[in-house]
Amino acid sequence: MNLPRRAAARLRRPNLTLRGRLTLTYAVLFTVGGSALVLAMTTALYEEIFRPLPASEVPGSLDPDHDNYIGLSDQIRDAAASRLLVIALLLLSVVVALSALVGWWVAGRLLRPIADITAAARRATDATLHERLRLTGPPDELRQLGDTFDEMLERLDRAFDAQRRFVANASHELRTPLALTRAAVEVTLAKPAVTEEQWRTMAADVADATGSAQRLISALLLLARSEQAAADLVEDDLADVAAEALDQVAGRARARGLRLRTDLEPAPLPANVALLGIAVSNLLENAVRYNRDGGLLHVTTGPAGDGTVRLTVVNDGPALDPERVENLFEPFNRGDRTRRRSAPDDLPDGTGLGLSIVRAVARAHTGTATARARAEGGLSVALELPGVRPGHRT
């Protein structure tokens, strides 16, 4: 069985903390170095003491007591060498003990930022994500780790905040079609005698409300999907995607008398074709829905420099506050317009997620989606994505 082996492995390899391992490493290295120093010093001392005298220094004649002197000197040298070895070993033991204590203290000082990071990670909840470590000291590896941890907390804080707003907005938006459905049913059932026409009217109202809820749920699922990193990338052309999306909205654009202008230059890029097609379609549908009758719809594609490609959609419409344009990318944010007052009768109600999906798709492709309010009214939205690199194969 593997249990005895695991138990033996635990006995052979005790679970030491990082601080303990650093201290043990310091002590072992110092012990090995000190032992080598003592051994080398003792060896050199013995070599020097017992080195034979040169021939020129050996006396030509020996006195009768010469052998006694030689024996006594040998004993003195042996005792001195042994004493020196004992003292060296004692000093080495003291130095090793002191080095272990100093190593433990130094390791604690060096690892204090890690302890702070561990404590912050244990405290981290959705209510404490605003806290930051803000480590001080030299820009070493531990400082970089602390800064990276702070950046992670900031991203998590933004994500949790966006999730809370998204859930609140989604709950509010889903409440509307459900309330309309319930009201239509209750009003019809409250009548003492319901005609077939009234039943049909109620069914039509319920179908409309159900369709709105279905479109909203589909948009929510699409937004969740598009917020992930894009996969299954294939080489495509942004101009071709824009041309296909223009064909889809051409009928509604003609019905409103929009002046269509296109400048579709080749813009090859690696992309998830399904997500990219939805993002471009959302841009064009918004440009038609929130345009004025007889207004301008201008679509351009082409290289944007630095290896990127760009799609720009410009439309006419009411003047917008430039400071509030960025809010249009938030889920369910329709600016100063409501769904009922902004969309013409021949267009389906919007979900308020169109531009949110566009930005999510752009980020999934490591690109950007920006908007700018036009002085003459309307909006200019730019979708910028990485293009095909030279020699790239998908």
Side-chain angles (χ1 to χ4, degrees):
M1 295 179 66
N2 294 330
L3 292 179
R5 294 180 181 178
R6 294 178 181 175
R10 290 194 185 96
L11 292 176
R12 289 194 300 268
R13 294 179 298 177
N15 294 326
L16 294 177
T17 63
L18 181 57
R19 185 177 185 179
R21 290 199 297 270
L22 287 174
T23 303
L24 183 60
T25 301
Y26 300 153
V28 169
L29 290 177
F30 194 87
T31 302
V32 172
S35 300
L37 176 63
V38 170
L39 180 62
M41 183 180 65
T42 305
T43 303
L45 181 63
Y46 267 92
E47 290 290 335
E48 187 66 23
I49 292 177
F50 293 104
R51 179 175 60 84
L53 291 174
S56 59
E57 298 181 7
V58 176
S61 61
L62 300 176
D63 56 75
D65 296 330
H66 178 266
D67 293 338
N68 294 330
Y69 292 147
I70 294 298
L72 181 60
S73 64
D74 289 342
Q75 293 178 8
I76 292 174
R77 283 182 297 186
D78 289 342
S82 300
R83 181 65 178 172
L84 177 64
L85 179 61
V86 171
I87 293 174
L89 291 176
L90 290 176
L91 290 176
L92 177 63
S93 301
V94 173
V95 172
V96 168
L98 291 177
S99 66
L101 294 176
V102 173
W104 178 264
W105 179 79
V106 172
R109 295 281 297 180
L110 293 177
L111 296 177
R112 181 176 298 174
I114 295 183
D116 294 338
I117 294 174
T118 302
R122 288 174 177 170
R123 291 195 311 268
T125 63
D126 58 346
T128 61
L129 290 176
H130 62 281
E131 298 179 359
R132 299 292 180 269
L133 292 173
R134 295 184 177 88
L135 296 181
T136 58
D140 54 7
E141 292 81 3
L142 293 178
R143 173 76 176 274
Q144 294 175 5
L145 177 61
D147 294 343
T148 302
F149 189 81
D150 283 345
E151 293 173 1
M152 181 192 68
L153 289 178
E154 184 175 356
R155 290 194 299 270
L156 288 174
D157 192 17
R158 290 199 303 265
F160 271 82
D161 186 56
Q163 184 184 39
R164 284 190 292 267
R165 293 198 311 269
F166 183 81
V167 170
N169 291 331
S171 301
H172 176 74
E173 294 291 328
L174 284 172
R175 190 181 297 117
T176 300
L178 294 177
L180 292 174
T181 300
R182 181 174 181 177
V185 172
E186 289 180 349
V187 168
T188 303
L189 294 178
K191 297 179 180 179
V194 184
T195 63
E196 181 178 354
E197 182 179 359
Q198 291 173 335
W199 282 115
R200 291 183 178 275
T201 301
M202 182 201 71
D205 293 339
V206 171
D208 290 341
T210 303
S212 298
Q214 184 178 7
R215 287 193 296 272
L216 178 59
I217 293 174
S218 299
L220 290 172
L221 293 175
L222 177 60
L223 179 60
R225 176 190 172 194
S226 59
E227 286 179 340
Q228 302 175 359
D232 301 327
L233 303 181
V234 297
E235 185 172 334
D236 205 339
D237 196 313
L238 193 55
D240 296 337
V241 178
E244 294 177 1
L246 281 170
D247 291 338
Q248 299 174 6
V249 300
R252 295 194 290 273
R254 284 194 300 268
R256 303 197 61 191
L258 300 183
R259 295 175 287 112
L260 180 61
R261 289 170 52 189
T262 60
D263 186 10
L264 304 180
E265 296 183 11
L269 79 166
N272 183 298
V273 179
L275 290 179
L276 182 61
I278 292 171
V280 175
S281 296
N282 283 354
L283 281 179
L284 295 180
E285 288 176 0
N286 277 359
V288 172
R289 177 181 290 111
Y290 300 114
N291 211 322
R292 60 179 176 82
D293 292 338
L296 173 67
L297 176 58
H298 188 195
V299 182
T300 61
T301 61
D306 297 331
T308 61
V309 294
R310 180 187 297 142
L311 164 71
T312 305
V313 179
V314 178
N315 71 325
D316 285 337
L320 299 173
D321 184 357
E323 296 181 357
R324 301 183 63 182
V325 168
E326 184 66 18
N327 296 335
L328 296 176
F329 288 98
E330 294 293 329
F332 308 113
N333 193 313
R334 304 178 183 86
D336 296 330
R337 298 169 302 219
T338 63
R339 183 186 309 173
R340 299 295 180 183
R341 290 190 286 126
S342 59
D345 294 336
D346 59 340
L347 291 177
D349 291 342
T351 60
L353 294 173
L355 290 181
S356 299
I357 293 174
V358 171
R359 174 160 286 183
V361 171
R363 288 175 175 171
H365 289 81
T366 65
T368 59
T370 57
R372 177 180 58 84
R374 303 175 67 219
E376 58 271 32
L379 200 64
S380 174
V381 183
L383 177 64
E384 191 167 324
L385 302 171
V388 175
R389 299 187 300 272
H392 176 75
R393 293 291 183 271
T394 56

